[in-house]
Amino acid sequence: MIFQAATESELITVAGRLLAGRREVRVLSAMSPQQPTELIGALIGVALERDVRITLFVADLDGLYGFLDPGHRRAVERGQLRLVALAGGIPPAWHAHIDHFPIGFWDIDQGLATGNIPIDLVIAEMTGDPNDGSFGFGAMVGYTASALASGASAAAILRPETVRFPNAPRVPRDRFDALITAPPQHPTATVVAPPSAIQMRIAAHVAELVPDGATLQLGIGAMAQALAGSLDGKSDLGVHSGIISGALARLVRSGTLSGRRKSADQGLIVATGVIGLQSDEAEDLAERVALRPVSETHDARSLARQDRLWALNSCLEIDLSCRINAEYISGRRVSSGGGQSDFARAAHLSRGGASVIMLPSATAKGQSRIVPSLAAGQRETTAPQDVDFVVTEHGSADLRGCTAAERREKLVAIAHPDHRDALRSRHICVTSG
């Protein structure tokens, strides 16, 4: 069925038909920016009205959860609405009510593909013309490809393409049970704070480590901008990453990001999604970017084909045994670990590669981000054995071949100077007690 306009009434009609005859439904939304926020809101509204128990799997990269309102809290508390974050940020007002999978992103994708994570309905924003035989994923493939390969029902909001990625998969038109046409959605300016002086110093230290010809996995946001500004002067860098941003366009323009020495996909920037891509950046990146599903971008077997794979990841804190926390602040889960563990492991195993963890040495309030131990019961995002370098604004710690005691000393050496003595004495107390 095709609905000609994504108005509120049409969305409610579509939601009603998709939920017809159901008493319980498990709904998977595509990752933002392909998250159909308005359709999610309509499904929640109709489900609550009809007393349908709804479980919603989402990956809202901004952590806004714009489909929720305060009135949904009672439904969450009584179990009629269940929220599960697969990736992205976690809104502070809802963190106590949002579940997650304590596994890597590739494992989540495989769970969707195999049915170990059962899904009844997949919803997404797709791109194309309703008369076309197939549709594009837009700027984010993510786990949607694996979900659509399952037997779940599927519905899409269909928008005309504004940026075309020629090296990307497509989905047959007849895969969808419902299509809702909508006007094009042009990229809006993504507000990203410029890199701080501390982030620029961290990026400069990382640039000293990265060799020419390396294939990089790097994240998004201010730290990615800092790295893009610090890697100029390198030669023949490549990218095989999860999600990338338009910050890479400057490296393409300068010739730094040629990808000529990649072991696979020479000349291509491989990723599962692009966010914050502006029109001038699209001209430089769209032809070079190969968008692929998480089943390929995060697969250790595929990553193992890349020599000199350098995974450049950030975290919130690290303890003296080198356990990485990229998810929690003061016991509150604020973000998902995403594919950090997938890429850290692969880069650690890559010939000539390395796994790098980056973080400021202290919080804005002056608390040390290098801590004696992670909080009790807090899951590590990345395991200690998969970390080769840790970098703060005070330098880099090469942990390769180090004993536990040597690792501790190297981490203390790059901690904030105000906290180094306390970290040493605290460790002595812990080990002797």
Side-chain angles (χ1 to χ4, degrees):
M1 51 186 172
I2 298 179
F3 296 82
Q4 296 302 318
T7 63
E8 183 177 359
S9 61
E10 290 279 23
L11 291 170
I12 291 173
T13 299
V14 172
R17 296 194 182 188
L18 292 171
L19 295 178
R22 300 181 187 269
R23 303 308 307 160
E24 184 171 348
V25 64
R26 294 165 67 91
V27 180
L28 175 82
S29 167
M31 295 175 67
S32 57
Q34 304 309 125
Q35 174 180 282
T37 301
E38 293 81 6
L39 181 55
I40 296 174
L43 283 165
I44 291 175
V46 172
L48 299 186
E49 181 182 324
R50 296 184 181 181
D51 198 25
V52 176
R53 187 173 186 268
I54 180 170
T55 297
L56 180 62
F57 299 88
V58 295
D60 192 326
L61 297 182
D62 293 323
L64 298 178
Y65 284 54
F67 45 82
L68 294 177
D69 63 52
H72 292 143
R73 190 171 297 277
R74 285 192 61 195
V76 171
E77 291 172 347
R78 66 174 180 257
Q80 188 179 0
L81 171 60
R82 183 174 174 232
L83 304 169
V84 183
L86 303 184
I90 310 296
W94 292 91
H95 78 93
H97 302 290
I98 297 177
D99 202 355
H100 67 284
F101 291 102
I103 54 179
F105 206 32
W106 184 81
D107 290 299
I108 290 174
D109 181 89
Q110 292 304 290
L112 295 170
T114 60
N116 287 332
I117 301 176
I119 298 297
D120 302 310
L121 173 63
V122 182
I123 56 175
E125 288 205 0
M126 306 293 288
T127 61
D129 183 283
N131 298 312
D132 291 344
S134 64
F135 306 134
F137 284 91
M140 180 67 68
V141 179
Y143 48 68
T144 308
S146 290
L148 288 173
S150 72
S153 299
I157 293 179
L158 186 65
R159 299 185 186 275
E161 286 181 319
T162 54
V163 178
R164 180 171 179 80
F165 295 94
N167 299 305
R170 297 182 69 82
V171 182
R173 179 181 183 277
D174 61 8
R175 176 62 185 88
F176 296 96
D177 302 279
L179 291 171
I180 309 141
T181 61
Q185 197 167 54
H186 296 281
T188 57
T190 302
V191 179
V192 177
S196 66
I198 287 176
Q199 288 171 321
M200 291 303 299
R201 289 201 295 272
I202 293 171
H205 290 309
V206 172
E208 292 176 358
L209 300 174
V210 173
D212 291 337
T215 293
L216 307 180
Q217 175 259 325
L218 68 170
I220 54 181
M223 198 64 232
Q225 289 187 346
L227 287 167
S230 298
L231 292 169
D232 277 329
K234 297 288 181 180
S235 64
D236 293 335
L237 294 181
V239 169
H240 183 121
S241 198
I243 302 170
I244 61 172
S245 74
L248 294 182
R250 64 170 292 166
L251 294 177
V252 171
R253 295 186 195 114
S254 69
T256 301
L257 204 61
S258 72
R260 282 192 292 263
R261 293 171 61 184
K262 293 179 71 176
S263 304
D265 302 305
Q266 288 87 356
L268 292 177
I269 297 170
V270 176
T272 198
V274 185
I275 67 168
L277 189 63
Q278 305 307 306
S279 57
D280 59 328
E281 296 166 339
E283 295 175 6
D284 295 298
L285 288 180
E287 294 287 333
R288 291 280 307 279
V289 170
L291 290 182
R292 295 178 182 168
V294 168
S295 58
E296 296 181 31
T297 56
H298 291 60
D299 186 350
R301 294 164 296 187
S302 172
L303 293 170
R305 296 201 299 268
Q306 290 290 354
D307 293 340
R308 300 177 301 280
L309 177 64
W310 282 67
L312 312 179
N313 286 294
S314 300
C315 75
L316 296 169
E317 64 180 2
I318 179 173
D319 72 10
L320 292 178
S321 63
C322 209
R323 294 186 300 156
I324 305 302
N325 165 30
E327 302 173 56
Y328 296 86
I329 295 178
S330 300
R332 178 171 64 87
R333 193 165 186 268
V334 298
S335 66
S336 300
Q340 181 178 124
S341 60
D342 298 321
F343 279 97
R345 184 59 179 167
H348 172 70
L349 296 175
S350 169
R351 184 171 59 184
S355 169
V356 180
I357 296 293
M358 309 170 291
L359 74 164
S361 64
T363 68
K365 295 181 179 180
Q367 299 169 318
S368 180
R369 290 184 183 269
I370 298 178
V371 298
S373 181
L374 297 187
Q378 185 171 292
R379 183 182 77 92
E380 63 188 32
T381 305
T382 296
Q385 63 266 27
D386 293 334
V387 180
D388 297 305
F389 294 90
V390 176
V391 182
T392 73
E393 72 272 24
H394 298 292
S396 60
D398 184 348
L399 306 181
R400 297 172 299 179
C402 291
T403 66
E406 290 167 343
R407 282 187 165 214
R408 289 191 294 268
E409 284 303 312
K410 287 193 173 187
L411 289 174
V412 170
I414 61 169
H416 193 283
D418 292 347
H419 297 285
R420 291 174 190 173
D421 289 343
L423 286 169
R424 289 192 183 97
S425 61
R426 177 68 183 276
H427 174 69
I428 291 171
C429 292
V430 170
T431 55
S432 62

